[in-house]
Amino acid sequence: MNEIKIFCPATIANLNCGFDILGLCLEGIGDEMIIRKSTEKGVKITKIVGANLPFETGKNVAGVAALALLENFELDFGFEIEIYKNIKTGSGIGSSSASAAGAVYGINELLGKPFSKVELVNFAMKGEVVASGSEHADNVAACLLGGFTLIRGYEPLDVIQIASPNELYAVVLHPHIEVKTSDARAVIQPTVSLKAAITQTGNLGGFIAGLYTNDYDLIGRSLKDVLVEPFRKHLIPNFDEVKNAAINNGALGAGISGAGPSIFALCKGKESAEKVANAMKDSYQSTGIEFDIHVSKVNSKGTETI
Ligand code: HSE
């Protein structure tokens, strides 16, 4: 095989109680990439459609992730990458992660799968540094593996994949404004109180227990964020109003998707998700900011060949 076309899905990171460690993979929204072997050594970004991103390999998220993987080999050929972006940059649904995950997934397939998807997370997260200034794997793990993912630890990387309860749906409202991940990380406090840490870890434990036991109420009760949301929400116009509209209309919980500005809600069942989506839409209209809204089941496949 000399060429591969892949789909790299959008993701929701953090999920309120798991800053930098929880992720969820979305269905139906994502980028496409074509990766092919070339006689020229190294990695060349040959085409970018749908976004204004650097072609220089060392400055491009996909390029950096690809180079991190290729450091493990002495090859006498290289790779060309074409990127077709559907996920807007700075949207909070894993745009940079999709590029990083797609690059390492595609190259790994063309090399005959020397690495597992879990191992690929190590390389993909190097790409994230270009976009956000810090190595975190919550989006890339969910994008590569699908379902819910938990980063149990970073040193060494320990990624746990968790299947989604069947009736779980995500709603994502994406306001058409850009929030740079690096800016959204700059507003967070570097230290937290013991009281806040206890609240957050209790909710994280509850959330994971809820996923394993299909306990939707427990999932909802656990969707709280006392560490990050209070510092970031002012970056998102009408955040509180949209969150309340979602919860008052039956969402299990709602919050900031990744670094924002997208706002997510989790719901039990499609009917509930559609009702919540309508309520979020109505609530956002008054801002005058353009937006789009997605209702999605949890994508269990992650990055895949198409
Ligand atoms: N966990 C990351 C953050 C996700 O919230 O900053 C965005 O890359």
Side-chain angles (χ1 to χ4, degrees):
M1 182 166 53
N2 287 320
E3 182 174 303
I4 188 168
K5 187 173 181 188
I6 52 190
F7 177 71
C8 355
T11 46
I12 300 173
N14 301 336
L15 297 158
N16 291 5
C17 53
F19 178 68
D20 273 359
I21 56 173
L22 272 183
L24 174 169
C25 189
L26 294 167
E27 231 172 47
I29 325 165
D31 294 345
E32 288 181 6
M33 291 170 85
I34 293 174
I35 304 186
R36 68 177 68 85
K37 287 185 188 168
S38 72
T39 49
E40 204 179 313
K41 285 187 188 182
V43 176
K44 201 167 173 187
I45 316 286
T46 52
K47 197 169 183 180
I48 302 174
V49 177
N52 186 14
L53 294 167
F55 278 84
E56 210 176 308
T57 307
K59 290 188 178 161
N60 182 292
V61 170
V64 171
L67 290 176
L69 188 158
L70 291 174
E71 264 176 25
N72 297 280
F73 303 94
E74 279 284 339
L75 300 175
D76 58 3
F77 58 93
F79 295 91
E80 289 178 357
I81 301 180
E82 294 181 8
I83 306 171
Y84 299 85
K85 297 289 306 170
N86 292 312
I87 314 170
K88 293 259 173 312
T89 55
S91 57
I93 49 172
S95 179
S96 53
S97 313
S99 299
V104 297
Y105 172 86
I107 290 177
N108 192 55
E109 293 288 306
L110 294 176
L111 289 175
K113 294 197 207 185
F115 295 107
S116 68
K117 272 188 166 183
V118 168
E119 288 169 328
L120 290 178
V121 176
N122 281 291
F123 310 121
M125 67 190 271
K126 303 288 177 206
E128 274 286 17
V129 183
V130 182
S132 70
S134 89
E135 270 189 21
H136 51 272
D138 47 357
N139 284 115
V140 286
C143 179
L144 275 162
L145 298 166
F148 283 87
T149 46
L150 167 71
I151 312 297
R152 202 277 314 151
Y154 275 96
E155 290 170 0
L157 192 65
D158 188 357
V159 183
I160 321 282
Q161 192 176 14
I162 305 167
S164 171
N166 251 334
E167 292 176 81
L168 205 62
Y169 278 77
V171 181
V172 180
L173 183 144
H174 166 221
H176 293 184
I177 52 173
E178 187 176 346
V179 172
K180 286 204 169 71
T181 302
S182 50
D183 293 343
R185 293 182 84 82
V187 298
I188 304 168
Q189 299 296 305
T191 55
V192 300
S193 72
L194 183 59
K195 187 171 177 235
I198 291 167
T199 305
Q200 198 88 353
T201 47
N203 282 320
L204 176 63
F207 188 78
I208 302 292
L211 290 180
Y212 275 107
T213 56
N214 292 344
D215 185 335
Y216 294 89
D217 289 334
L218 176 57
I219 291 170
R221 288 202 301 286
S222 308
L223 273 171
K224 305 265 160 54
D225 177 6
V226 295
L227 297 187
V228 175
E229 182 185 291
F231 299 105
R232 279 186 173 172
K233 64 179 184 174
H234 69 275
L235 301 172
I236 306 166
N238 268 34
F239 172 76
D240 283 330
E241 288 81 348
V242 178
K243 179 177 170 174
N244 291 335
I247 291 168
N248 293 338
N249 282 278
L252 302 169
I256 303 173
S257 175
S262 287
I263 304 168
F264 81 95
L266 294 189
C267 303
K268 184 181 178 189
K270 194 170 184 200
E271 212 174 298
S272 168
E274 277 164 2
K275 184 175 175 207
V276 165
N278 282 331
M280 290 169 78
K281 215 189 274 181
D282 288 346
S283 163
Y284 214 74
Q285 241 127 28
S286 64
T287 60
I289 298 171
E290 280 189 28
F291 62 92
D292 48 64
I293 196 151
H294 307 277
V295 173
S296 161
K297 268 206 103 163
V298 179
N299 171 348
S300 60
K301 294 190 201 139
T303 305
E304 60 179 325
T305 309
I306 51 173

